[in-house]
Amino acid sequence: MDLPPSPLARQFPDCPAIPGVTLRIARAGYKNWDRADLTFAELAEGTAVAGVFTTSACASSEVELGREQVKLGRARALIVNAGNSNAFTGLRGREAVEQIMARVAEALACDPSDVFVSSTGVIGVPLPKDKARAGIAAALDAMPCDFRAATDAIGTTDTFAKGAAASAMLGAQRTELVGIVKGSGMIAPDMATMLGYIFTDAAIEPALLQEMLERANAETFSCITVDGDTSTSDTVLAFATGRAANPPLVAWDDAGADAFYAALLSVCRDLAQLVVRDGEGASKFITIDVTGAESDASARRIALAIGNSPLVKTAIAGGDANWGRVVMAVGKAGEPADRDRLSIGFGGIWAARDGQPLADYDEAPVAAHLAGEEVTVEVDLGLGEGRARVWTCDLTHGYIDINADYRS
Protein backbone atom coordinates (compact mmCIF):
# COMPACT_ATOMS: atom_id res chain seq x y z
CA MET A 1 0.00 0.00 0.00
CA ASP A 2 1.61 3.25 -1.18
CA LEU A 3 0.22 6.11 0.87
CA PRO A 4 0.93 9.84 0.61
CA PRO A 5 2.58 11.45 3.65
CA SER A 6 0.25 12.47 6.45
CA PRO A 7 -0.57 16.20 6.40
CA LEU A 8 0.71 16.20 9.99
CA ALA A 9 4.10 14.67 9.04
CA ARG A 10 7.37 15.93 10.47
CA GLN A 11 10.82 15.85 8.93
CA PHE A 12 13.17 13.11 10.11
CA PRO A 13 15.72 14.73 12.42
CA ASP A 14 19.49 14.64 12.21
CA CYS A 15 20.42 11.60 14.28
CA PRO A 16 24.02 11.05 15.36
CA ALA A 17 25.59 7.63 15.11
CA ILE A 18 25.55 5.84 18.45
CA PRO A 19 28.87 4.19 19.33
CA GLY A 20 28.32 0.48 19.80
CA VAL A 21 25.32 0.34 17.41
CA THR A 22 25.70 -0.90 13.82
CA LEU A 23 22.58 -0.86 11.66
CA ARG A 24 21.94 -2.90 8.52
CA ILE A 25 18.83 -3.55 6.43
CA ALA A 26 17.83 -6.19 3.89
CA ARG A 27 14.88 -7.33 1.79
CA ALA A 28 13.38 -10.56 3.09
CA GLY A 29 10.26 -10.24 0.95
CA TYR A 30 7.67 -10.73 3.68
CA LYS A 31 5.18 -8.90 1.45
CA ASN A 32 5.01 -8.19 -2.25
CA TRP A 33 6.85 -4.90 -2.08
CA ASP A 34 10.08 -3.56 -3.49
CA ARG A 35 11.77 -2.37 -0.32
CA ALA A 36 13.87 -3.46 2.64
CA ASP A 37 11.74 -5.10 5.32
CA LEU A 38 14.29 -6.59 7.73
CA THR A 39 16.35 -4.44 10.08
CA PHE A 40 19.40 -5.74 11.94
CA ALA A 41 21.02 -3.77 14.76
CA GLU A 42 24.27 -5.21 16.06
CA LEU A 43 25.02 -4.06 19.61
CA ALA A 44 28.37 -3.93 21.37
CA GLU A 45 29.19 -6.45 24.04
CA GLY A 46 28.00 -5.28 27.44
CA THR A 47 24.95 -3.46 26.07
CA ALA A 48 22.21 -3.08 28.69
CA VAL A 49 18.57 -3.47 27.67
CA ALA A 50 15.16 -2.57 29.06
CA GLY A 51 11.73 -3.11 27.56
CA VAL A 52 7.99 -2.67 27.88
CA PHE A 53 5.54 -4.84 25.98
CA THR A 54 1.88 -5.09 25.07
CA THR A 55 -0.49 -6.44 27.70
CA SER A 56 -2.55 -8.14 24.97
CA ALA A 57 -3.64 -11.67 25.90
CA CYS A 58 -2.91 -12.67 22.29
CA ALA A 59 0.70 -11.48 22.21
CA SER A 60 3.14 -12.78 19.61
CA SER A 61 5.99 -15.20 20.34
CA GLU A 62 8.39 -12.27 19.87
CA VAL A 63 6.70 -10.48 22.77
CA GLU A 64 6.54 -13.58 24.97
CA LEU A 65 10.25 -14.26 24.48
CA GLY A 66 11.17 -10.58 24.84
CA ARG A 67 9.45 -10.33 28.20
CA GLU A 68 11.77 -13.03 29.52
CA GLN A 69 14.89 -11.78 27.75
CA VAL A 70 14.77 -8.27 29.24
CA LYS A 71 14.94 -9.76 32.70
CA LEU A 72 18.53 -10.79 31.88
CA GLY A 73 19.40 -7.16 31.14
CA ARG A 74 21.76 -7.74 28.23
CA ALA A 75 21.55 -7.53 24.44
CA ARG A 76 23.77 -8.08 21.40
CA ALA A 77 21.32 -7.70 18.54
CA LEU A 78 17.88 -6.61 17.42
CA ILE A 79 16.01 -7.98 14.41
CA VAL A 80 12.81 -6.30 13.18
CA ASN A 81 10.63 -7.94 10.53
CA ALA A 82 8.06 -5.76 8.72
CA GLY A 83 5.02 -7.04 6.85
CA ASN A 84 4.23 -10.06 9.01
CA SER A 85 3.45 -9.81 12.74
CA ASN A 86 3.91 -13.57 13.32
CA ALA A 87 1.16 -13.28 15.95
CA PHE A 88 -1.46 -15.97 16.54
CA THR A 89 0.74 -18.49 14.73
CA GLY A 90 1.38 -21.08 17.47
CA LEU A 91 4.43 -23.34 17.45
CA ARG A 92 5.40 -22.50 13.87
CA GLY A 93 5.63 -18.85 14.75
CA ARG A 94 7.77 -19.49 17.80
CA GLU A 95 10.09 -21.79 15.84
CA ALA A 96 10.63 -19.02 13.29
CA VAL A 97 11.67 -16.59 16.03
CA GLU A 98 13.97 -19.11 17.69
CA GLN A 99 15.56 -19.82 14.30
CA ILE A 100 16.35 -16.14 13.85
CA MET A 101 17.76 -15.88 17.37
CA ALA A 102 19.97 -18.95 16.86
CA ARG A 103 21.29 -17.80 13.47
CA VAL A 104 22.20 -14.32 14.68
CA ALA A 105 23.68 -15.69 17.91
CA GLU A 106 25.89 -17.99 15.87
CA ALA A 107 27.12 -15.10 13.74
CA LEU A 108 27.87 -12.91 16.77
CA ALA A 109 29.12 -15.69 19.07
CA CYS A 110 26.59 -14.81 21.76
CA ASP A 111 23.72 -16.50 23.56
CA PRO A 112 20.40 -16.64 21.66
CA SER A 113 18.75 -14.87 24.59
CA ASP A 114 20.86 -11.80 23.73
CA VAL A 115 19.06 -11.51 20.37
CA PHE A 116 15.76 -9.61 20.41
CA VAL A 117 13.20 -10.05 17.64
CA SER A 118 10.16 -7.94 16.73
CA SER A 119 7.69 -8.48 13.92
CA THR A 120 4.89 -6.25 12.64
CA GLY A 121 2.22 -6.62 9.99
CA VAL A 122 -0.56 -9.06 9.21
CA ILE A 123 -1.78 -11.27 12.09
CA GLY A 124 -2.30 -15.01 11.72
CA VAL A 125 0.34 -15.82 9.09
CA PRO A 126 3.46 -17.67 10.33
CA LEU A 127 6.71 -15.87 9.58
CA PRO A 128 8.19 -17.71 6.55
CA LYS A 129 11.35 -19.42 7.79
CA ASP A 130 12.99 -19.47 4.36
CA LYS A 131 12.49 -15.74 3.86
CA ALA A 132 13.71 -15.03 7.38
CA ARG A 133 16.87 -17.09 6.78
CA ALA A 134 17.57 -15.34 3.50
CA GLY A 135 16.88 -11.94 5.03
CA ILE A 136 19.23 -12.55 7.94
CA ALA A 137 21.97 -13.75 5.58
CA ALA A 138 21.55 -10.65 3.42
CA ALA A 139 21.57 -8.35 6.46
CA LEU A 140 24.75 -9.89 7.83
CA ASP A 141 26.49 -9.13 4.52
CA ALA A 142 24.96 -5.67 4.03
CA MET A 143 26.79 -2.39 4.42
CA PRO A 144 25.96 -0.39 7.56
CA CYS A 145 23.19 2.19 7.20
CA ASP A 146 21.91 5.19 9.13
CA PHE A 147 18.88 5.57 11.38
CA ARG A 148 16.71 6.97 8.58
CA ALA A 149 17.16 3.86 6.44
CA ALA A 150 16.52 1.60 9.43
CA THR A 151 13.34 3.51 10.22
CA ASP A 152 12.03 3.21 6.68
CA ALA A 153 12.58 -0.56 6.83
CA ILE A 154 10.50 -1.16 9.98
CA GLY A 155 7.37 0.63 8.70
CA THR A 156 4.12 -0.90 7.43
CA THR A 157 1.28 1.59 6.88
CA ASP A 158 3.49 4.45 8.08
CA THR A 159 3.50 7.41 5.71
CA PHE A 160 6.66 9.05 7.02
CA ALA A 161 9.77 8.00 8.93
CA LYS A 162 9.65 8.79 12.64
CA GLY A 163 12.74 9.52 14.69
CA ALA A 164 13.89 11.63 17.63
CA ALA A 165 17.20 12.57 19.20
CA ALA A 166 18.38 14.16 22.43
CA SER A 167 21.54 14.46 24.48
CA ALA A 168 22.41 14.72 28.17
CA MET A 169 25.46 15.71 30.16
CA LEU A 170 26.46 13.06 32.67
CA GLY A 171 29.00 15.06 34.62
CA ALA A 172 31.60 16.11 32.05
CA GLN A 173 30.54 13.39 29.61
CA ARG A 174 28.00 14.03 26.86
CA THR A 175 25.75 11.12 25.98
CA GLU A 176 23.48 10.78 22.95
CA LEU A 177 20.05 9.19 22.58
CA VAL A 178 18.31 8.30 19.31
CA GLY A 179 14.87 6.75 18.99
CA ILE A 180 12.97 5.35 16.03
CA VAL A 181 9.38 4.14 15.93
CA LYS A 182 6.78 2.68 13.59
CA GLY A 183 3.04 2.85 14.01
CA SER A 184 -0.04 4.58 12.61
CA GLY A 185 -2.97 2.24 13.24
CA MET A 186 -4.00 -0.30 15.88
CA ILE A 187 -2.88 2.33 18.36
CA ALA A 188 -4.26 2.42 21.90
CA PRO A 189 -2.38 2.91 25.15
CA ASP A 190 -2.21 -0.51 26.78
CA MET A 191 1.55 -0.22 27.39
CA ALA A 192 2.62 1.30 24.13
CA THR A 193 1.14 0.55 20.79
CA MET A 194 3.74 0.24 18.11
CA LEU A 195 7.36 -0.83 17.75
CA GLY A 196 9.86 1.63 19.20
CA TYR A 197 13.60 1.42 19.78
CA ILE A 198 15.86 3.79 21.68
CA PHE A 199 19.64 3.64 21.48
CA THR A 200 22.14 5.44 23.70
CA ASP A 201 25.85 5.30 24.37
CA ALA A 202 25.31 5.96 28.09
CA ALA A 203 26.57 3.54 30.70
CA ILE A 204 23.59 2.64 32.87
CA GLU A 205 22.62 -0.42 34.87
CA PRO A 206 19.77 -2.44 33.33
CA ALA A 207 17.59 -2.18 36.45
CA LEU A 208 17.69 1.62 36.43
CA LEU A 209 17.18 1.75 32.68
CA GLN A 210 14.09 -0.44 33.11
CA GLU A 211 12.68 1.85 35.80
CA MET A 212 13.28 4.91 33.66
CA LEU A 213 11.74 3.37 30.56
CA GLU A 214 8.64 2.27 32.45
CA ARG A 215 8.18 5.75 33.90
CA ALA A 216 8.74 7.45 30.54
CA ASN A 217 6.34 5.03 28.87
CA ALA A 218 3.60 5.87 31.36
CA GLU A 219 3.91 9.56 30.45
CA THR A 220 4.20 9.17 26.68
CA PHE A 221 3.47 5.97 24.75
CA SER A 222 0.69 5.04 27.16
CA CYS A 223 -0.92 8.43 26.60
CA ILE A 224 -1.62 8.08 22.89
CA THR A 225 -4.53 6.60 20.99
CA VAL A 226 -5.51 6.54 17.34
CA ASP A 227 -8.33 4.00 17.18
CA GLY A 228 -8.64 2.35 20.60
CA ASP A 229 -7.16 -0.95 19.39
CA THR A 230 -4.16 -2.56 21.09
CA SER A 231 -1.70 -4.54 18.97
CA THR A 232 -0.51 -8.08 19.66
CA SER A 233 3.09 -7.07 18.99
CA ASP A 234 3.67 -3.75 20.77
CA THR A 235 7.23 -3.38 22.00
CA VAL A 236 9.49 -0.56 23.16
CA LEU A 237 13.13 -1.46 23.82
CA ALA A 238 15.96 0.74 25.08
CA PHE A 239 19.57 -0.25 24.49
CA ALA A 240 22.53 1.37 26.30
CA THR A 241 25.93 0.44 24.89
CA GLY A 242 28.00 2.10 27.64
CA ARG A 243 30.46 3.55 25.10
CA ALA A 244 30.13 7.10 26.46
CA ALA A 245 32.53 6.12 29.28
CA ASN A 246 30.54 7.99 31.93
CA PRO A 247 30.53 6.63 35.48
CA PRO A 248 27.71 4.05 35.20
CA LEU A 249 24.32 5.26 36.36
CA VAL A 250 23.05 2.92 39.05
CA ALA A 251 20.46 4.90 41.02
CA TRP A 252 18.15 7.87 40.52
CA ASP A 253 20.26 10.08 42.79
CA ASP A 254 23.48 9.51 40.81
CA ALA A 255 24.95 12.61 39.19
CA GLY A 256 23.47 12.97 35.73
CA ALA A 257 20.58 10.55 36.24
CA ASP A 258 17.98 13.33 36.13
CA ALA A 259 19.49 14.74 32.95
CA PHE A 260 19.52 11.34 31.30
CA TYR A 261 15.90 10.68 32.25
CA ALA A 262 14.85 14.07 30.90
CA ALA A 263 16.48 13.22 27.57
CA LEU A 264 14.87 9.78 27.53
CA LEU A 265 11.47 11.29 28.31
CA SER A 266 11.92 13.85 25.52
CA VAL A 267 12.71 11.14 22.96
CA CYS A 268 9.76 9.00 24.07
CA ARG A 269 7.36 11.96 23.96
CA ASP A 270 8.50 12.99 20.49
CA LEU A 271 8.13 9.45 19.17
CA ALA A 272 4.70 8.98 20.75
CA GLN A 273 3.38 12.19 19.23
CA LEU A 274 4.79 11.28 15.82
CA VAL A 275 2.77 8.05 15.87
CA VAL A 276 -0.41 10.06 16.47
CA ARG A 277 0.54 12.49 13.71
CA ASP A 278 0.66 9.53 11.36
CA GLY A 279 -2.66 8.12 12.55
CA GLU A 280 -4.30 6.35 9.65
CA GLY A 281 -6.30 8.97 7.77
CA ALA A 282 -5.54 11.68 10.34
CA SER A 283 -5.90 15.35 9.43
CA LYS A 284 -5.74 16.88 12.93
CA PHE A 285 -3.45 16.37 15.93
CA ILE A 286 -5.53 16.58 19.12
CA THR A 287 -4.33 17.28 22.65
CA ILE A 288 -6.81 16.46 25.41
CA ASP A 289 -6.19 18.09 28.80
CA VAL A 290 -8.26 16.92 31.76
CA THR A 291 -7.98 18.72 35.10
CA GLY A 292 -9.93 18.76 38.35
CA ALA A 293 -10.35 14.98 38.54
CA GLU A 294 -10.27 13.01 41.78
CA SER A 295 -6.90 11.50 40.81
CA ASP A 296 -4.40 11.47 37.95
CA ALA A 297 -5.45 7.93 37.06
CA SER A 298 -9.09 8.99 36.88
CA ALA A 299 -8.19 11.98 34.71
CA ARG A 300 -6.26 9.72 32.32
CA ARG A 301 -9.18 7.32 31.92
CA ILE A 302 -11.52 10.22 31.19
CA ALA A 303 -9.07 11.71 28.69
CA LEU A 304 -8.82 8.35 26.92
CA ALA A 305 -12.61 8.00 26.82
CA ILE A 306 -12.70 11.33 24.98
CA GLY A 307 -9.78 10.43 22.73
CA ASN A 308 -11.30 7.07 21.79
CA SER A 309 -14.80 8.38 21.08
CA PRO A 310 -15.66 8.10 17.36
CA LEU A 311 -18.27 10.81 17.84
CA VAL A 312 -15.75 13.26 19.30
CA LYS A 313 -13.14 12.39 16.68
CA THR A 314 -15.50 12.73 13.72
CA ALA A 315 -16.89 16.02 15.04
CA ILE A 316 -13.38 17.44 15.18
CA ALA A 317 -12.62 16.02 11.72
CA GLY A 318 -15.60 17.98 10.41
CA GLY A 319 -14.80 21.14 12.36
CA ASP A 320 -18.03 20.79 14.36
CA ALA A 321 -17.81 22.57 17.75
CA ASN A 322 -20.13 20.00 19.31
CA TRP A 323 -19.02 20.11 22.94
CA GLY A 324 -21.97 17.90 23.90
CA ARG A 325 -20.05 14.94 22.51
CA VAL A 326 -17.25 15.66 24.98
CA VAL A 327 -19.81 15.70 27.80
CA MET A 328 -21.03 12.32 26.57
CA ALA A 329 -17.51 10.88 26.63
CA VAL A 330 -16.88 12.16 30.15
CA GLY A 331 -20.12 10.62 31.33
CA LYS A 332 -19.41 7.18 29.87
CA ALA A 333 -15.87 6.93 31.26
CA GLY A 334 -17.03 5.31 34.50
CA GLU A 335 -15.08 7.81 36.59
CA PRO A 336 -16.31 10.30 39.21
CA ALA A 337 -17.89 13.33 37.55
CA ASP A 338 -20.45 15.93 38.55
CA ARG A 339 -22.55 17.41 35.78
CA ASP A 340 -22.94 20.69 37.67
CA ARG A 341 -19.18 21.19 38.08
CA LEU A 342 -18.11 20.15 34.58
CA SER A 343 -16.49 22.67 32.22
CA ILE A 344 -15.65 22.10 28.53
CA GLY A 345 -13.45 24.17 26.24
CA PHE A 346 -11.56 24.16 22.94
CA GLY A 347 -8.31 25.99 22.31
CA GLY A 348 -8.54 27.98 25.53
CA ILE A 349 -12.12 29.08 24.86
CA TRP A 350 -14.71 27.79 27.33
CA ALA A 351 -18.00 26.67 25.85
CA ALA A 352 -19.56 25.53 29.12
CA ARG A 353 -18.70 26.23 32.76
CA ASP A 354 -20.01 24.56 35.89
CA GLY A 355 -22.51 22.44 34.02
CA GLN A 356 -24.01 25.27 31.99
CA PRO A 357 -23.43 26.68 28.49
CA LEU A 358 -21.93 30.17 28.72
CA ALA A 359 -24.51 32.81 28.00
CA ASP A 360 -22.10 34.79 25.81
CA TYR A 361 -20.55 31.75 24.12
CA ASP A 362 -19.46 32.55 20.58
CA GLU A 363 -18.89 29.45 18.47
CA ALA A 364 -17.01 31.30 15.72
CA PRO A 365 -13.55 31.36 17.38
CA VAL A 366 -13.94 27.72 18.42
CA ALA A 367 -14.81 26.77 14.84
CA ALA A 368 -11.72 28.67 13.70
CA HIS A 369 -9.60 26.71 16.18
CA LEU A 370 -11.07 23.40 14.97
CA ALA A 371 -10.25 24.32 11.38
CA GLY A 372 -6.54 24.14 12.16
CA GLU A 373 -4.28 21.09 12.24
CA GLU A 374 -3.58 21.43 15.97
CA VAL A 375 -6.64 21.11 18.23
CA THR A 376 -6.87 21.25 22.02
CA VAL A 377 -9.79 19.98 24.09
CA GLU A 378 -9.99 21.09 27.74
CA VAL A 379 -12.08 19.45 30.44
CA ASP A 380 -12.23 20.60 34.07
CA LEU A 381 -14.21 18.29 36.35
CA GLY A 382 -14.02 20.61 39.38
CA LEU A 383 -13.58 17.70 41.82
CA GLY A 384 -9.92 17.56 42.83
CA GLU A 385 -6.30 17.94 41.76
CA GLY A 386 -6.04 15.04 39.29
CA ARG A 387 -4.83 15.88 35.80
CA ALA A 388 -3.78 14.11 32.61
CA ARG A 389 -2.82 14.83 29.01
CA VAL A 390 -3.57 12.46 26.14
CA TRP A 391 -2.77 12.82 22.44
CA THR A 392 -4.99 11.53 19.64
CA CYS A 393 -6.10 12.36 16.11
CA ASP A 394 -9.36 12.81 14.28
CA LEU A 395 -11.26 10.06 12.48
CA THR A 396 -11.76 10.45 8.74
CA HIS A 397 -12.83 8.23 5.87
CA GLY A 398 -9.15 7.67 5.18
CA TYR A 399 -9.01 5.32 8.16
CA ILE A 400 -11.61 3.09 6.51
CA ASP A 401 -9.84 3.18 3.14
CA ILE A 402 -6.49 2.14 4.64
CA ASN A 403 -7.79 -0.65 6.83
CA ALA A 404 -10.24 -2.08 4.32
CA ASP A 405 -7.32 -2.73 1.96
CA TYR A 406 -4.66 -3.58 4.57
CA ARG A 407 -3.94 -7.16 3.46
CA SER A 408 -3.93 -6.48 -0.27
Side-chain angles (χ1 to χ4, degrees):
M1 193 183 306
D2 190 12
L3 300 170
S6 165
L8 306 175
R10 293 291 184 265
Q11 291 292 322
F12 196 84
D14 292 330
C15 293
I18 300 295
V21 178
T22 302
L23 301 169
R24 297 182 175 89
I25 58 174
R27 182 182 177 187
Y30 293 124
K31 289 185 69 174
N32 184 26
W33 49 21
D34 186 18
R35 46 156 282 195
D37 53 6
L38 186 148
T39 302
F40 170 54
E42 181 178 349
L43 307 166
E45 291 187 24
T47 294
V49 63
V52 287
F53 301 86
T54 181
T55 59
S56 170
C58 297
S60 67
S61 293
E62 288 86 337
V63 167
E64 291 176 339
L65 288 163
R67 288 171 180 161
E68 297 303 315
Q69 290 171 262
V70 293
K71 296 176 183 177
L72 302 176
R74 61 175 191 268
R76 285 282 279 118
L78 166 69
I79 303 295
V80 185
N81 304 302
N84 183 316
S85 76
N86 198 38
F88 209 73
T89 54
L91 181 59
R92 285 190 297 168
R94 188 179 182 93
E95 288 176 344
V97 182
E98 291 175 340
Q99 171 190 267
I100 292 172
M101 294 168 65
R103 177 66 189 91
V104 174
E106 179 184 14
L108 300 182
C110 66
D111 193 278
S113 62
D114 296 343
V115 180
F116 288 77
V117 182
S118 297
S119 300
T120 178
V122 175
I123 293 172
V125 180
L127 193 73
K129 294 181 182 179
D130 56 342
K131 293 183 178 181
R133 283 194 299 270
I136 292 295
L140 288 169
D141 289 338
M143 294 294 292
C145 67
D146 59 14
F147 281 105
R148 172 59 193 267
T151 307
D152 287 335
I154 68 174
T156 49
T157 59
D158 302 66
T159 70
F160 66 94
K162 307 174 186 69
S167 62
M169 294 302 297
L170 308 184
Q173 181 64 51
R174 179 186 174 101
T175 186
E176 303 288 348
L177 298 88
V178 171
I180 63 175
V181 69
K182 65 83 52 184
S184 56
M186 203 179 290
I187 303 294
D190 197 358
M191 179 295 287
T193 32
M194 69 276 117
L195 301 182
Y197 308 101
I198 300 161
F199 303 89
T200 178
D201 57 354
I204 180 171
E205 286 297 306
L208 181 59
L209 184 61
Q210 182 68 37
E211 289 182 21
M212 288 187 172
L213 183 61
E214 289 178 0
R215 182 180 294 187
N217 167 69
E219 297 184 49
T220 58
F221 296 120
S222 284
C223 292
I224 62 174
T225 181
V226 168
D227 47 22
D229 288 330
T230 296
S231 171
T232 57
S233 305
D234 299 336
T235 298
V236 175
L237 294 169
F239 302 99
T241 67
R243 291 305 187 264
N246 60 285
L249 298 175
V250 178
W252 284 93
D253 57 0
D254 285 351
D258 286 347
F260 179 81
Y261 177 71
L264 176 64
L265 181 64
S266 174
V267 168
C268 290
R269 183 186 300 112
D270 288 349
L271 295 178
Q273 292 187 6
L274 288 170
V275 171
V276 171
R277 289 185 175 279
D278 202 16
E280 290 169 343
S283 67
K284 300 179 189 296
F285 179 84
I286 305 168
T287 300
I288 301 170
D289 283 323
V290 174
T291 58
E294 286 197 349
S295 67
D296 290 348
S298 180
R300 180 175 174 274
R301 285 189 283 269
I302 292 169
L304 290 174
I306 299 167
N308 284 324
S309 167
L311 287 177
V312 172
K313 292 158 76 74
T314 51
I316 293 176
D320 182 7
N322 189 345
W323 54 268
R325 293 186 176 182
V326 179
V327 175
M328 173 278 300
V330 173
K332 76 170 185 176
E335 293 297 317
D338 184 336
R339 178 199 62 198
D340 296 330
R341 298 185 184 184
L342 183 62
S343 300
I344 307 291
F346 299 92
I349 303 166
W350 293 106
R353 292 289 269 173
D354 299 321
Q356 296 289 331
L358 293 182
D360 58 350
Y361 171 56
D362 181 1
E363 191 171 294
V366 174
H369 175 69
L370 295 180
E373 291 185 348
E374 307 268 345
V375 173
T376 301
V377 179
E378 295 104 354
V379 174
D380 185 353
L381 285 97
L383 299 177
E385 301 298 320
R387 62 178 55 241
R389 172 170 287 177
V390 162
W391 300 284
T392 189
C393 59
D394 58 341
L395 180 60
T396 72
H397 202 281
Y399 182 86
I400 299 172
D401 295 337
I402 292 167
N403 284 282
D405 297 333
Y406 180 64
R407 294 197 301 167
S408 59

